[in-house]
């Protein structure tokens, strides 16, 4: 069973090496691994949603406007997204990572 979990996590980390971006009107109920969703309304991007890259299967939604906690998301000229600050799940799998230029960078 441990080997299966290890292979599953390695596969997820490989899948998340380059996040693609999709612009949507609402947060998807079943996000696709490897896709980060920019949720827009009226031309304003207000959230980023993605599936947790650790392989636990949970969805992550990041608030880009309003009250804290709040993140900022920037898209560079090549279409890669950077999110600041880091994403740290305080419950569940407790993953802690950065999204920089479309790649997941794990905090050790």
């Amino acid at each position: 069973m441990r080997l299966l979990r290890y292979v599953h996590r390695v596969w997820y980390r490989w899948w998340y090496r380059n996040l693609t971006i999709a612009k949507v009107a609402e947060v998807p109920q079943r996000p696709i691994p490897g896709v980060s969703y920019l949720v827009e309304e009226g031309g304003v991007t207000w959230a980023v949603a993605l599936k947790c890259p650790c392989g636990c299967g949970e969805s992550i939604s990041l608030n880009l406007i309003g009250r804290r906690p709040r993140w900022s998301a920037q898209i560079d000229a090549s279409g890669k997204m950077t999110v600041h600050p880091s994403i740290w799940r305080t419950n569940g799998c407790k993953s802690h990572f950065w999204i920089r230029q479309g790649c997941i960078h794990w905090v050790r």
Side-chain angles (χ1 to χ4, degrees):
M1 199 62 164
R2 282 184 173 173
L3 178 63
L4 185 60
R5 283 189 198 142
Y6 174 76
V7 169
H8 186 255
R9 287 183 186 257
V10 168
W11 179 82
Y12 252 76
R13 289 180 184 205
W14 177 82
W15 191 268
Y16 272 91
R17 64 186 171 169
N18 289 315
L19 290 172
T20 57
I21 298 171
K23 294 184 179 183
V24 295
E26 357 180 297
V27 176
Q29 290 183 4
R30 294 184 190 153
I32 298 169
V35 178
S36 55
Y37 298 91
L38 295 176
V39 186
E40 296 182 342
E41 185 176 319
V44 176
T45 304
W46 62 271
V48 172
L50 65 144
K51 200 163 205 173
C52 186
C54 82
C56 70
E58 293 294 320
S59 296
I60 298 174
S61 292
L62 305 173
N63 181 30
L64 300 179
I65 60 174
R67 298 182 183 203
R68 292 182 179 217
R70 180 178 59 219
W71 287 263
S72 66
Q74 295 148 351
I75 313 280
D76 64 15
S78 63
K80 303 291 183 180
M81 182 173 63
T82 298
V83 175
H84 184 77
S86 66
I87 300 155
W88 192 351
R89 298 201 55 219
T90 56
N91 51 18
C93 65
K94 307 232 188 255
S95 292
H96 191 190
F97 58 94
W98 291 87
I99 299 176
R100 293 186 182 141
Q101 296 179 332
C103 294
I104 300 293
H105 297 273
W106 294 95
V107 176
R108 302 262 176 208

